[in-house]
Amino acid sequence: MTLTDQLPAAAEPDSLLDAFVDWTSGQGIDLYPAQEEALMEVVSGANVILSTPTGSGKSLVATGAHFAALGAGRRSFYTAPIKALVSEKFFALVDVFGAAKVGMMTGDSSVNAEAPIICCTAEILANIALRDGKRADVGQVVMDEFHFYAEPERGWAWQVPLLELPQAQFVLMSATLGDVTRFEKELTHRTGRDTAVVSSAERPVPLTFRYAMTPLHETLEELLGGDQAPIYVVYFNQASALEQAQALMSVNVASREHRDRIAEALGDFRFTAGFGKTLSRLVRHGIGVHHAGMLPKYRRLVEQLAQAGLLKVICGTDTLGVGINVPIRTVLLTGLTKYDGVRTRHLKAREFHQIAGRAGRAGYDTSGYVVVQAPEHVIENERAIAKAGDDPKKKRKVVRKKAPEGFVSWSEKTFEKLREAEPEPLTSSFGVSHSMLLNVINRPGDAFTAMRQLLETNHEDRPAQRRHILRAIAIYRALLAAGVVEELDTPDDDGRSVRVTVDLQFDFALNQPLSPFALAAIELLDQEASPTYALDVLSVIESTLDNPRQVLSQQQFKARGEAVQQMKADGLEYDERMELLEDVTHPKPLQEMLDAAYEMYRQGHPWVAEHELAPKSVARDMYERAMNFVEYVNHYGLARSEGLVLRYLADVYKALRHTVPDDSKTEDLTDIEEWLGELVRQVDSSLLDEWERLRNPVEDDGAPVAPPTEEPTGITANKRAFRVQVRNAMFRRVELAARRDHDALGAFDDDWTAQDWAEALDDYFEEYDELGTGADARGPHLLAVTEESGRWLVRQTFHDPEGDRDWGISAEVDLAASDEEGAAVVRVTDVGTFD
C-alpha cells in the first residue's frame, strides 16, 4: 500500500496528522519533537520555516506536507537546487505515493506534468510563478536547501515564488538558514497565513568538535584506532583529495578480513583504465574517493561500499554538504579556507556547518565527530618548539617554518568562531532578465502593474531596486525595438495591453536555452554538398552547451605546448613566441560563421544575449582524433575529471537527439549520434539510463522503473555504433601512418611492430607524396567490412593523392574480445596494396 491509500475520508488537520503518524509508525519511524511540531503546523495550513540540523528528518516533514496537500486537494511542488536531487526525490516520492500521483519537471524533460505532486528545480517553479502568478495551480511549495536563496547567480529562483505565489502554503527547509525573522514576516504578509518557525539546535546525533595539532596521518591513525570511522577527509580541490587517498595506501586502514569482504562486495565490478584502476586499488584497501569529477558509477560504488560499512576513510571535496549520500561518523576538515573562483577566503559559518553537519548517522551512531586540522606549518613549528623543551637557547635557535606564499591561514580561534557562529543571514540575490519580462508580459492581465509590483516589493534594498528598474526598462525597449513585443491600443480579452508577438516555445523539450538558435544555424549548413556537414552540425550543437572548463583548459595547454615546439623549430625568439601564444586557444570550429549567425539571430531574439555562445570541439575533437573515451582522457590528462567529460558527452548526445530535426539528419550524422550514445553507455550507462527513466518513468503496470543492476550489453550489440568505433580505430592508424609515427603504430598490435609499419609505409611513400586524412579520407566508402562468425574482416583504403585507392590496411576485429574490453579490439593483418 502507498501513502496515498492512507488518506482519511475527511481531510481535517487532526485526521491527516493521525493518518501520517500511523504510516510512519508502520515504517518503524518515531517522529522527533521538531518533526511533530512542523507537521502539526503544516496540516493546520500555516507556512513553516524548518531550520534543524542535518540528519534531523526534514525529508519526512516534506513527505508529510505533500500528504497534507494531497488530502486537501491542493497541488504541491517540491524544489531542489540540482537535477540529480530532483530526480532522486521524484523516484522516492513515486515509491511513497505511487507513480500516478507524482510528476517531475526539469530543463531536460517533463514527466506526468499534471500530477498533484511535482518535483522540479527552483528555476522551473520560478518561471511558472512569473508566467501565471496567483493564477498558477500551485497550492503548496516545499523548498529544500533554501539557503540557495543567497546564491549570486541562482538566488532569484528561490525568491520569485515567495513574491508571486500568494495563494500557496510554503515550507522552507535547510540546516543553515540563520536569522529568518524577515521571511517569517514576509510570508505572513504576502500569503495571509500564519508562519511557524521550527528550529532546533539539538541533533539526533550530537557532535563532538576538536582542533588537531597532529600531522594528518597521525590524526587519521588516532581516529581509526578510536573507532571513529567511517571518516570523511574534506579537501577543497579534487587533486588534493586524490593525493591524500593515495598517500593512505601506506597506512594499515583495513584488516585482511575486511579487505576480503570488500573484494567479495566488489564482485566482477568493471574498473576501466586510468582512474578506474587507481580507485580499484584504493577501495580494496578500505579507502574511498568522492568528488564531482568522478564517473557516476564510481561515486555510486563508493557510496554503496560506505553504506555497507566497508570503507574506513573517504577523501573528497565539500560536495558532501549538498545532500550527497555518504554515511559517515567523522568529518575531518583539512583546512578552513577555500578558493571561491575569485580569491581564497575563510569558510563562511553556513559552509562550515553544512559540512560538519554530515557527521553522525541517525540510527547508527550515538555521536558524530568533527575534527579540524591546524595548518601544516603551524603543526611543524609547534613540534619544533616542544622538542626544544624549556631551554631558552634551544628555543631561540628554532627556525620557524613560514607559511607558503599566498597562503591564507587559520587558527584555533577561527575554528572556535565558526563552530559557535550562527549561519549568516540570507541576503537577496534578485535579478532581472529578458525571460522574466517575457514571462510576465505573457501573463493575463496588466503586465506593467505586475512588473512594477515585482520590481518594487522584492527583497533588495532601494538602490538595488532602482538598478533593476532601469535594467527592466532597457530590456523592454529592446524587446519593443526588435518587434518581439508590441503595445496594444486597447487591452485584449485577457486584459493585456502589451503582448508577445513570437512563439517563445517555453514548453518545447529543448535541452539548452540556445537550442532554438541551433535550429536556425543548422539551416545555414549545406547538407548536400559539404563533406563535413555531419561534424559541422555537431559543432553547432556543442556551441550551445555549457563549457567543460577543465577539458578546454587542457586542450589549450596542449595546443600551446605543440605551438611552442613548432615555433622553436621555426627559429622564433622567446618574446615573439610569447606574443603569438596569446592567440592559441582550444579548437573552435565554425567560430566566424557561428558568431555572425548569433549576432543576426540576437537582433530578433534579444533575450539570447543572456546566454553566451561558446564554440568548442570536444565530441568532434574525439571523433576526428578517432579516439575512444580512455584514449581521449589520457591524451589530455583528464583522468581526475573523466566524470565531467562523460557528462558533457551525454549532454551532446541528448541535444543531438532532441534538438536536430529528423530532416536535418544524414546517415553520417546518425552514425555519429549512435556512436556517441553507445560510447556514453559503455563508459557509464547510468547517465543515459537516468535520462531514459525520466522520460519513461513507469512500466505498463504503473510500477516505477527500477535502476539497472547489470552492466550494459556488449558493445557489438549496436552494430551501427560499433561500425563507427571500428572505423575510428582504423582511421586512427591512418592518421598515425600519415605522420609516419611508427612507434605509436607499433604499440597497437603485437603482430605488427614499429619496424613492420616502417617498411610498409616506406613502400607507400615511395609511390605517393602524402596520405590524406581529411573528411574525404574518413568517408565510409573507404571502409569495407565483411561480417563472419565471431569476427569482422575489415579493409581501410588509403586516400592517396592520385585517386588510385590501391593501398590500405587489412585487419580482423574480435567481437567477443571487443565486448569484454568495451572497445573495438582490432588486429592488423596486412598493410600494403590490394591483391
Side-chain angles (χ1 to χ4, degrees), residues 631-701:
E631 290 169 340
Y632 192 77
V633 165
N634 291 339
H635 179 72
Y636 286 112
L638 291 164
R640 201 170 59 244
S641 302
E642 61 183 5
L644 169 75
V645 179
L646 190 69
R647 283 194 296 276
Y648 175 81
L649 294 176
D651 286 342
V652 177
Y653 170 69
K654 289 184 286 186
L656 274 176
R657 283 195 62 186
H658 265 221
T659 305
V660 182
D662 288 340
D663 59 6
S664 295
K665 291 184 178 179
T666 61
E667 287 295 309
D668 284 351
L669 184 56
T670 303
D671 282 348
I672 291 173
E673 182 184 305
E674 288 291 322
W675 161 76
L676 193 54
E678 193 60 34
L679 180 148
V680 173
R681 285 191 183 90
Q682 291 298 324
V683 175
D684 189 338
S685 65
S686 61
L687 283 174
L688 296 185
D689 290 337
E690 178 74 4
W691 184 49
E692 294 296 343
R693 285 199 299 150
L694 299 186
R695 295 173 65 232
N696 306 287
V698 295
E699 302 281 14
D700 292 339
D701 61 0

Side-chain angles (χ1 to χ4, degrees), residues 511-576:
N511 293 307
Q512 297 292 328
L514 289 176
S515 291
F517 163 75
L519 293 175
I522 288 170
E523 293 179 0
L524 301 176
L525 303 176
D526 190 339
Q527 183 176 153
E528 300 298 328
S530 173
T532 61
Y533 171 79
L535 289 173
D536 290 343
V537 171
L538 184 59
S539 290
V540 170
I541 293 300
E542 289 202 69
S543 74
T544 66
L545 302 178
D546 292 338
N547 282 339
R549 291 196 306 274
Q550 290 93 323
V551 183
L552 304 188
S553 176
Q554 288 299 100
Q555 284 182 331
Q556 182 181 58
F557 177 78
K558 198 166 189 67
R560 288 185 170 180
E562 292 170 353
V564 165
Q565 294 302 318
Q566 185 60 51
M567 285 184 241
K568 285 182 177 179
D570 294 341
L572 297 182
E573 296 297 327
Y574 174 82
D575 290 341
E576 189 176 0

Side-chain angles (χ1 to χ4, degrees), residues 484-523:
V484 177
V485 300
E486 65 178 4
E487 295 178 349
L488 305 176
D489 295 331
T490 58
D492 65 12
D493 293 342
D494 290 319
R496 298 186 184 94
S497 57
V498 59
R499 69 179 180 186
V500 179
T501 63
V502 297
D503 179 10
L504 298 177
Q505 297 181 299
F506 284 127
D507 297 322
F508 189 48
L510 297 173
N511 293 307
Q512 297 292 328
L514 289 176
S515 291
F517 163 75
L519 293 175
I522 288 170
E523 293 179 0

Side-chain angles (χ1 to χ4, degrees), residues 242 245-246 249 253-255 258-267 269 271 275-290 294 297-306 309-315:
L242 180 57
Q246 291 174 309
M249 291 287 285
V253 171
S255 65
H258 197 91
R259 293 198 296 271
D260 289 342
R261 289 172 56 203
I262 293 171
E264 183 180 354
L266 288 174
F269 184 91
F271 293 93
F275 177 75
K277 301 301 183 187
T278 300
L279 182 64
S280 176
R281 290 194 300 271
L282 290 170
V283 296
R284 292 177 194 278
H285 280 77
I287 304 164
V289 180
H290 196 284
M294 294 167 59
K297 67 178 182 181
Y298 291 153
R299 289 204 309 274
R300 189 169 61 252
L301 174 68
V302 170
E303 291 165 11
Q304 290 170 343
L305 292 175
L310 296 176
L311 296 182
K312 296 292 187 179
V313 180
I314 304 165
C315 299

Side-chain angles (χ1 to χ4, degrees), residues 433-434 437-438 441 470-487 501 601-610:
S433 64
H434 288 79
L437 261 71
L438 289 167
I441 290 170
L470 292 174
R471 173 165 168 74
I473 292 171
I475 291 174
Y476 178 69
R477 287 173 176 168
L479 293 173
L480 272 178
V484 177
V485 300
E486 65 178 4
E487 295 178 349
T501 63
Y601 187 82
R602 190 169 67 175
Q603 293 175 17
H605 307 78
W607 60 89
V608 302
E610 295 164 10

Side-chain angles (χ1 to χ4, degrees), residues 60-309:
L60 192 62
V61 174
T63 302
H66 293 307
F67 179 72
L70 195 62
R74 291 183 286 124
R75 198 170 187 225
S76 60
F77 281 70
Y78 168 89
T79 73
I82 58 177
K83 294 175 185 177
L85 291 180
V86 171
S87 62
E88 181 181 303
K89 190 68 174 180
F90 167 72
F91 287 109
L93 290 178
V94 166
D95 287 340
V96 171
F97 290 99
K101 297 297 183 183
V102 187
M104 182 181 63
M105 300 178 190
T106 69
D108 295 334
S109 58
S110 180
V111 175
N112 198 18
E114 302 303 317
I117 301 172
I118 295 292
C119 300
C120 63
T121 56
E123 284 81 359
I124 293 293
L125 179 62
N127 282 322
I128 291 172
L130 289 168
R131 188 178 59 205
D132 298 331
K134 62 184 180 182
R135 297 179 179 85
D137 184 14
V138 181
Q140 181 193 83
V141 175
V142 178
M143 304 190 87
D144 205 355
E145 307 288 352
F146 185 71
H147 56 273
F148 272 78
Y149 169 97
E151 284 289 304
E153 298 298 324
R154 302 181 60 203
W156 69 272
W158 275 259
Q159 184 172 161
V160 162
L162 307 183
L163 305 175
E164 294 294 300
L165 299 174
Q167 76 279 15
Q169 176 192 30
F170 286 89
V171 180
L172 313 181
M173 306 190 306
S174 173
T176 54
L177 287 177
D179 183 7
V180 295
T181 304
R182 174 178 188 173
F183 297 104
E184 181 182 5
K185 293 178 179 178
E186 174 84 6
L187 284 175
T188 297
H189 170 71
R190 288 185 181 270
T191 65
R193 301 172 183 267
D194 291 336
T195 300
V197 177
V198 179
S199 60
S200 172
E202 183 178 348
R203 290 173 48 93
V205 179
L207 295 181
T208 299
F209 292 83
R210 75 179 176 93
Y211 192 72
M213 290 294 295
T214 49
L216 182 60
H217 68 278
E218 291 184 16
T219 305
L220 282 168
E221 288 175 358
E222 181 184 344
L223 292 172
L224 289 167
D227 194 28
Q228 295 180 31
I231 306 162
Y232 198 107
V233 186
V234 181
Y235 284 90
F236 293 96
N237 65 77
Q238 297 172 4
S240 296
L242 180 57
E243 288 170 9
Q244 179 56 49
Q246 291 174 309
L248 285 172
M249 291 287 285
S250 61
V251 178
N252 187 20
V253 171
S255 65
R256 174 75 262 175
E257 179 186 358
H258 197 91
R259 293 198 296 271
D260 289 342
R261 289 172 56 203
I262 293 171
E264 183 180 354
L266 288 174
D268 57 357
F269 184 91
R270 193 172 80 181
F271 293 93
T272 52
F275 177 75
K277 301 301 183 187
T278 300
L279 182 64
S280 176
R281 290 194 300 271
L282 290 170
V283 296
R284 292 177 194 278
H285 280 77
I287 304 164
V289 180
H290 196 284
H291 59 70
M294 294 167 59
L295 294 177
K297 67 178 182 181
Y298 291 153
R299 289 204 309 274
R300 189 169 61 252
L301 174 68
V302 170
E303 291 165 11
Q304 290 170 343
L305 292 175
Q307 288 164 353

